[in-house]
Structures are given as C-alpha cells and as structure tokens.
C-alpha cells in the first residue's frame, strides 16, 4: 500500500529526515518566541514604567491566543493541510514579532503576546500531527517525544539568546526581535518546500469554527489526575518564565540579563533531556513522579528566596525541569490512553486547556499577591497551592490511573 509520503511527495519537496527536522525547527522557533521576553521583562518594566502585576498580565495574556487556537482552529490542519496551516501559524508569529520589534507601549506588548499564543496554538498541534505522518512505520510515539522535547529546547533557546543579546549587545528590546524575525522567515521558507502529508485537502470555509470541549462522563474521575498534573507542571514553568527574573534581581541581586535567560535555559534543557532519557518509562509512573517532585521543587523555590541562595535556585530549577517534563509527558500519555478513540482529540484538547490555564492563572494570582505583600509571601502561597494540587492529584492518580 502506498504511504502518504509516496503519494504526495514531489521532486522539489523536502521529505524524510530533512522534512522532520524542518517541522521540528518550526515547533522550536515558535516556542522560542514565547520566552524571548523572559530576560526582557525587567527592561520593559523600567522602559514603560509598569508595575509587577502589569508585568505578569503581559505574560499571562499569551494564553488568550493559545485558547483561541485550541477552541476554534484545532482541526485546521486536518482540513486545509499541514503545510498551509503551518504557514498560517508562522505568518501570525511573524506579525507578532513585528509588534514586539516596534513596541512603544503596553498595548503593543499585549497584542504581540496574544498573537504569539495564537501562532503557537495552531503550529504546535499541526507540527505534532505532521511529524507523526512523516515518521515511517506503525510506531508514532516518537512524534510526541520529538515534539515535546523540541518544545522545551525552543523555550530554553529563546530565553538564553534573548538574555545574551540583552546583556552584551545594543538595542536589547529591538535586536532580539530582529534576530527572531529573521529566524521565522528562514524557517517559513523551508516549510514552503516541505512535503505535505494530507492527501485530500479542503477549503478553509469547511473548517468548523464552533468550539466544542468536554470530557466523557465515564472517564472524568480518571481525567482529574492528569489534568491537575498538567496544570501544576505548566504552573511551575509559568512561574519561572514570568517571575524568576524579578526574584533574581530583587532577592538574589543578580542583575545580569544573561543569568535570567540562562536559568530558564537550564529548566528547559533539563526538561528536554528528561523526556528523551525516560521515553521508556510508563506514563502512570512519570505522572505520579511529577506530582511527588512538585512538592520539593516549590520548597526549594521558597528556600532560595528566604536564604537568598543562587545555589538553591539552580538546584530547584533543575528539579523543576524534571517535574515539568514528567508532568507534561506523563499526563498527556495518560489522557491519550483513557480517551475514547472517537473523542480523543476533544479530550486531549481539554487537557491542553488545563495546561494553558496552569501556565497563566497562578502567575496572575502570584503577581497580584506580590504587589500587595512581598515576593516571598507570594511564593509561599504558590508553594501551598501546588502542594495541595499535587496531593489531590496523587489521590486520584493512585486510585484511577492505570
């Protein structure tokens, strides 16, 4: 039987391993845009004169684009094809980079963040499906491993490159996004030549725009553990991306922007390495391990602030990377296992909504609390929330996860 690749490939199209590398690069470069701001938050705060709570809202508004993509464009690439959907995602990301490049006030940043979230929401799902179809053979689990590890590599690379440019190059708020824009254009050109894997595409008008999201009644109890695990894992990542630079500057007195980028790079690379190194571990084990690891992780975060210890912060960041990797991969695999075949995409989308909300909502609460009290009190509240969520999810996971 002829495969998709054999059916659709043209002489001038990139296929095989090169095509997979290009699609993986797309996922990485899209996610890099979401953390390029991490070392720049302190600079924006000074340049535009906004408060800590405003800073956290700039970070969290990104989830608006994520959710819009998930709810309204989840089936886009199934209908119009992987390549057109990927090109659309890259186009949105390019517009987002232009808003960042020429940002003059808070409104520009908010629009740029929403567009960045929208582009990632469309591109991540498209890229994961594209990778699965490019992989030869029956075992498609490698696509999830590539997509999730590349996701974290992009997150880390974006933060590190931005921090280095902000610290050691001129025009930190402009040069970062000029370089990022060039990368987006390069990857877009490569995508234009990459093999399509959807044999029969339809018009954009045939894409259903009606949002639909639910979890079947029969699996709701078993869905609780992975949902809370994904929420907690992404809350940890969100905490570091939005608030760790401020903790470094205020509590640890580390003003080097490259250090802020390096800290998040450490988290992301540890997470990516963990995903690759533990690919053979069962989903149930990794999910429950993530829930256990979240508790000492937040304890180390608080300890780093209380004792103003960079060493504890580094250790806590590494442990956070392991917990985030276990939680994200383990939770997603459990959801894939328990979801009915005819509603898998819908249930997985519900899981991602939990992840996106975890990435944004706790960060907003911590930002409000830190502006009213102190960063240490806010981190204590965050630690308490994660601990409670972890214990609740452990209870459900031990009972229902299989």
């Amino acid at each position: 039987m002829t495969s998709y690749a054999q059916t659709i490939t043209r002489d001038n199209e990139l296929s095989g391993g090169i095509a997979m590398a290009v699609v993986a690069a797309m996922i990485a470069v899209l996610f890099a845009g979401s953390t390029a701001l991490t070392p720049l938050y302190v600079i924006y705060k000074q340049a535009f004169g906004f408060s800590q709570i405003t800073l956290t809202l700039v970070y969290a508004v990104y989830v608006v684009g994520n959710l819009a993509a998930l709810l309204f464009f989840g089936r886009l690439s199934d209908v119009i094809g992987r390549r057109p959907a990927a090109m659309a995602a890259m186009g949105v990301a390019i517009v987002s980079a232009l808003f960042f490049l020429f940002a003059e006030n808070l409104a520009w940043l908010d629009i740029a963040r929403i567009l960045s979230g929208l582009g990632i929401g469309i591109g991540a799902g498209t890229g994961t499906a594209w990778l699965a179809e490019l992989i030869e053979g029956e075992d498609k689990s490698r696509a999830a491993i590539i997509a999730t590890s590349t996701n974290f590599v992009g997150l880390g690379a974006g933060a590190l490159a931005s921090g280095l440019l902000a610290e050691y190059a001129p025009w930190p708020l402009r040069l970062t996004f000029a370089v990022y824009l060039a990368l987006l254009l390069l990857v877009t050109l490569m995508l234009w030549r990459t093999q399509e894997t959807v044999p029969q595409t339809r018009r954009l008008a045939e894409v259903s725009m009606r949002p639909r999201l639910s979890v079947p009644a029969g699996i709701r109890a078993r869905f609780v553990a992975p949902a809370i695990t994904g929420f907690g894992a992404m809350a940890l990542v969100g905490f570091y991306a939005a608030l760790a630079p401020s903790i470094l500057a205020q509590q640890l007195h580390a003003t080097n922007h490259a250090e802020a980028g390096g800290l998040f790079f450490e988290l992301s690379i540890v997470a990516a390495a963990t995903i690759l190194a533990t690919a053979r571990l069962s989903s149930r084990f990794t999910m429950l391990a993530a829930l256990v690891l979240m508790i000492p992780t937040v304890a180390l975060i608080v300890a780093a602030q209380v004792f103003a210890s960079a060493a504890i912060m580094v250790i806590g960041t590494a442990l956070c990377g392991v917990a985030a990797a276990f939680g994200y991969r383990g939770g997603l695999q459990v959801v894939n296992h328990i979801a009915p075949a005819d509603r898998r995409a819908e249930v997985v989308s519900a899981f991602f909504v939990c992840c996106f909300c975890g990435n944004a909502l706790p960060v907003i609460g911590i930002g409000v609390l830190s502006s009213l009290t102190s960063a240490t009190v806010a981190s204590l509240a965050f630690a308490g929330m994660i601990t409670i969520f972890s214990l609740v999810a452990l209870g459900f996971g031990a009972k229902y996860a299989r």
Side-chain angles (χ1 to χ4, degrees):
M1 182 175 178
T2 306
S3 67
Y4 282 160
Q6 293 170 318
T7 301
I8 299 170
T9 302
R10 301 290 182 264
D11 291 340
N12 63 340
E13 286 184 338
L14 302 175
S15 61
I18 297 176
M20 290 173 59
V22 173
V23 175
M26 177 195 73
I27 295 173
V29 77
L30 284 173
F31 277 98
S34 71
T35 52
L37 262 71
T38 297
L40 305 180
Y41 283 127
V42 174
I43 303 176
Y44 277 119
K45 189 176 178 181
Q46 296 170 346
F48 294 167
F50 49 68
S51 64
Q52 181 67 32
I53 181 58
T54 303
L55 184 152
T56 56
L57 288 173
V58 169
Y59 173 83
V61 75
Y62 155 89
V63 80
V64 173
N66 283 151
L67 294 178
L70 193 62
L71 293 174
F72 295 100
F73 301 108
R75 294 182 59 250
L76 183 65
S77 69
D78 290 334
V79 177
I80 70 172
R82 308 300 180 208
R83 184 165 53 198
M87 297 294 289
M90 296 299 287
V92 172
I94 288 170
V95 175
S96 169
L98 289 171
F99 269 93
F100 279 126
L101 182 61
F102 298 108
E104 297 291 341
N105 52 47
L106 183 62
W108 286 66
L109 291 181
D110 284 336
I111 293 171
R113 284 290 285 171
I114 291 172
L115 289 174
S116 176
L118 181 63
I120 289 172
I122 296 172
T126 298
T128 302
W130 207 351
L131 284 171
E133 291 161 355
L134 287 168
I135 292 174
E136 297 180 357
E138 296 297 323
D139 183 12
K140 303 299 184 182
S141 62
R142 193 155 57 102
I145 299 297
I146 294 172
T148 52
S149 59
T150 305
N151 174 334
F152 279 109
V153 168
L155 291 173
L160 180 63
S162 175
L164 290 171
L165 290 173
E167 186 64 30
Y168 301 113
W171 317 299
L173 301 183
R174 308 292 183 192
L175 185 60
T176 295
F177 295 104
V179 171
Y180 181 57
L181 185 60
L183 284 174
L184 286 171
L185 291 171
L186 176 62
V187 173
T188 301
L189 288 174
M190 298 294 287
L191 284 172
W192 181 252
R193 296 189 54 213
T194 301
Q195 169 196 336
E196 177 59 75
T197 55
V198 176
Q200 294 182 338
T201 59
R202 289 172 284 166
R203 294 176 301 167
L204 181 62
E206 297 181 57
V207 179
S208 174
M209 295 299 177
R210 185 181 66 179
R212 178 185 172 186
L213 201 66
S214 66
V215 178
I219 65 166
R220 284 174 188 168
R222 287 181 289 165
F223 181 80
V224 171
I228 295 180
T229 304
F231 184 99
M234 291 301 103
L236 286 172
V237 173
F239 175 85
Y240 269 84
L243 300 179
S246 297
I247 292 174
L248 281 175
Q250 296 170 13
Q251 273 72 41
L252 304 182
H253 308 292
T255 57
N256 187 305
H257 301 300
E259 291 182 11
L263 191 71
F264 196 82
F265 179 77
E266 177 200 351
L267 185 156
S268 300
I269 293 304
V270 168
T274 300
I275 289 172
L276 294 174
T278 62
R280 293 174 181 256
L281 293 179
S282 72
S283 56
R284 181 175 186 268
F285 174 83
T286 54
M287 185 187 73
L288 297 180
L291 293 169
V292 172
L293 288 174
M294 285 179 193
I295 298 173
T297 296
V298 292
L300 286 171
I301 294 172
V302 174
Q305 290 180 265
V306 171
F307 298 108
S309 171
I312 296 177
M313 193 70 173
V314 168
I315 296 170
T317 300
L319 193 60
C320 178
V322 176
F326 278 174
Y328 184 62
R329 182 177 74 83
L332 179 57
Q333 287 181 327
V334 168
V335 167
N336 266 325
H337 177 68
I338 66 175
D342 61 337
R343 298 183 65 180
R344 179 165 285 115
E346 185 179 355
V347 177
V348 169
S349 294
F351 172 77
F352 281 133
V353 166
C354 295
C355 291
F356 291 148
C357 289
N359 195 237
L361 297 181
V363 170
I364 296 174
I366 293 166
V368 172
L369 192 57
S370 63
S371 66
L372 297 175
T373 55
S374 68
T376 301
V377 171
S379 291
L380 281 169
F382 176 75
M385 179 200 72
I386 292 295
T387 300
I388 293 171
F389 278 15
S390 298
L391 292 174
V392 170
L394 275 171
F396 276 89
K399 184 175 181 180
Y400 294 106
R402 294 289 184 270

